[in-house]
Amino acid sequence: MEEKRRATTSTSSSSSQVHMSNDIDWQMLDKSRFFFLGAALFSGVSTALYPIVVLKTRQQVSPTRVSCANISLAIARFEGLRGFYKGFGTSLLGTIPARALYMTALEITKSSVGQATVRLGLSDTTALAVANGAAGLTSAVAAQVIWTPIDVVSQRLMVQGDLSLSKHLPGVMNSCRYRNGFDAFRKILYTDGPRGFYRGFGISILTYAPSNAVWWASYSLAQKSIWSRYKHSYDHKEDACGSVVVQALSAATASGCSALVTMPVDTIKTRLQVLDAEENGRRRAMTVMQSVKSLMKEGGVGACYRGLGPRWVSMSMSATTMITTYEFLKRLATKKQK
């Protein structure tokens, strides 16, 4: 993620118009350098935040309400540090191409839609929200082609070894034991075929496409508003520190709203990808309705929000880190002016 570019390319002498600082367009980037440095920077960010994703996933598939502290203690006691990084290799391997596809779709869509909004004569604020919302929607759909199979494999590895799940969900926990990501890939392909890697693909699109569209649109509006106040407070001075502060506050605001709105759908998606249903002694992929009924039986609407805390923290930290890292990356990858 990166600091939002302005959707318009025109300039104005009006003192009331708010300009985002140091915008960098897609055409200004050295693409090979951009993707190489991006892989390195985002891999570091993913490494730092991965344990929170593991906690979130285990809370979502748990049949009872369990605190993050208890899950963390159980992992540390029975699985050690490695328990917090189960499936990390698979996740990292898939995240690199998925992130590259995401960033490409994001930047190209923003640039194209931004130019279109200029021709339509939309207001600056509306154009900014439309361009970023469209970019978020397009990039999420494109990236899910890679991210969904990675989610299926990595999430199964994340919950493997969770004693509470094996005890309370003996009929729905997948019976396969995986040595690593490649072993999981082979066994899923053998038992479920290629379709097994796209469990929950439809609901993933319903989760992430609107979520990304809302996130980027609300982020751009929040950033515009916060940046305007910041500049007025500091006599219109632009500086790197100020940009980071504005990006962080905007990202945290957008992430909190997005996490709250999409949490139930994300919980259903996670269960579809990890758990099985048992019918007449045979295990089959769980359906959306079976997942919803199971959640309602376990705790009603509240069960759909298990893992909200870790997800909120993860999204906020990830978005804040990603947005500042991405803006830093874009500056590193900017073509040298001849």
Side-chain angles (χ1 to χ4, degrees):
M1 296 181 182
E2 92 276 29
E3 177 187 322
K4 305 317 297 166
R5 291 184 297 103
R6 291 179 60 83
T8 62
T9 56
S10 60
T11 59
S12 172
S13 60
S14 172
S15 61
S16 63
Q17 187 175 15
V18 179
H19 294 271
M20 296 302 175
S21 61
N22 303 320
D23 296 329
I24 297 175
D25 191 79
W26 177 247
Q27 286 75 22
M28 298 168 62
L29 297 174
D30 180 331
K31 306 303 187 298
S32 58
R33 191 179 183 190
F34 177 69
F35 290 123
F36 177 78
L37 292 175
L41 289 172
F42 288 122
S43 293
V45 173
S46 298
T47 301
L49 298 177
Y50 194 79
I52 300 176
V53 179
V54 173
L55 295 179
K56 185 268 298 184
T57 301
R58 291 203 176 188
Q59 278 194 322
Q60 286 181 313
V61 299
S62 174
T64 58
R65 186 179 182 84
V66 185
S67 69
C68 288
N70 288 338
I71 293 178
S72 299
L73 290 173
I75 293 176
R77 180 180 178 184
F78 297 107
E79 303 171 59
L81 180 62
R82 294 181 61 182
F84 291 99
Y85 283 91
K86 282 189 172 180
F88 177 68
T90 301
S91 179
L92 186 61
L93 185 64
T95 294
I96 293 175
R99 183 68 64 183
L101 183 59
Y102 182 94
M103 292 188 296
T104 301
L106 183 75
E107 288 296 329
I108 291 176
T109 304
K110 280 196 300 178
S111 180
S112 300
V113 176
Q115 293 172 12
T117 57
V118 172
R119 292 192 293 270
L120 290 174
L122 299 180
S123 67
D124 184 68
T125 301
T126 302
L128 191 64
V130 170
N132 285 285
L137 180 67
T138 303
S139 58
V141 172
Q144 281 308 308
V145 175
I146 299 176
W147 257 322
T148 297
I150 296 303
D151 274 349
V152 170
V153 175
S154 63
Q155 287 175 348
R156 291 195 184 191
L157 291 171
M158 286 180 198
V159 302
Q160 185 170 267
D162 190 331
L163 300 179
S164 64
L165 295 181
S166 301
K167 178 180 178 181
H168 292 97
L169 297 173
V172 296
M173 279 299 294
N174 195 284
S175 58
C176 291
R177 303 297 298 176
Y178 309 118
R179 293 191 299 272
N180 49 50
F182 291 109
D183 185 50
F185 179 89
R186 181 179 61 82
K187 289 179 178 177
I188 293 172
L189 182 63
Y190 177 77
T191 56
D192 299 333
R195 292 183 61 183
F197 295 107
Y198 284 90
R199 274 195 186 187
F201 179 73
I203 201 167
S204 291
I205 296 296
L206 292 177
T207 301
Y208 295 118
S211 175
N212 269 264
V214 171
W215 194 97
W216 282 103
S218 59
Y219 172 80
S220 65
L221 295 176
Q223 187 189 32
K224 182 180 177 70
S225 176
I226 296 172
W227 186 250
S228 176
R229 289 178 172 80
Y230 175 84
K231 289 179 69 179
H232 283 301
S233 299
Y234 291 87
D235 300 323
H236 301 276
K237 294 180 180 179
E238 296 183 0
D239 56 88
C241 181
S243 295
V244 172
V245 171
V246 172
Q247 292 163 8
L249 290 175
S250 302
T253 300
S255 297
C257 296
S258 181
L260 191 62
V261 172
T262 61
M263 188 66 207
V265 183
D266 187 67
T267 299
I268 295 171
K269 174 196 73 72
T270 300
R271 289 194 165 212
L272 288 177
Q273 294 176 332
V274 174
L275 304 180
D276 290 330
E278 189 172 5
E279 295 181 359
N280 302 321
R282 298 180 60 185
R283 290 187 176 183
R284 303 178 62 179
M286 184 175 283
T287 66
V288 173
M289 286 307 300
Q290 287 173 328
S291 179
V292 171
K293 288 180 180 178
S294 176
L295 286 166
M296 293 299 103
K297 183 178 179 180
E298 292 171 13
V301 177
C304 298
Y305 284 88
R306 287 176 186 157
L308 176 61
R311 185 167 186 251
W312 191 315
V313 172
S314 176
M315 286 184 67
S316 296
M317 292 179 62
S318 176
T320 301
T321 308
M322 292 291 184
I323 207 78
T324 52
T325 301
Y326 197 16
E327 181 60 25
F328 176 65
L329 167 64
K330 289 176 70 176
R331 277 157 172 61
L332 288 178
T334 302
K335 295 177 182 177
K336 295 182 178 179
Q337 298 295 326
K338 295 181 180 180

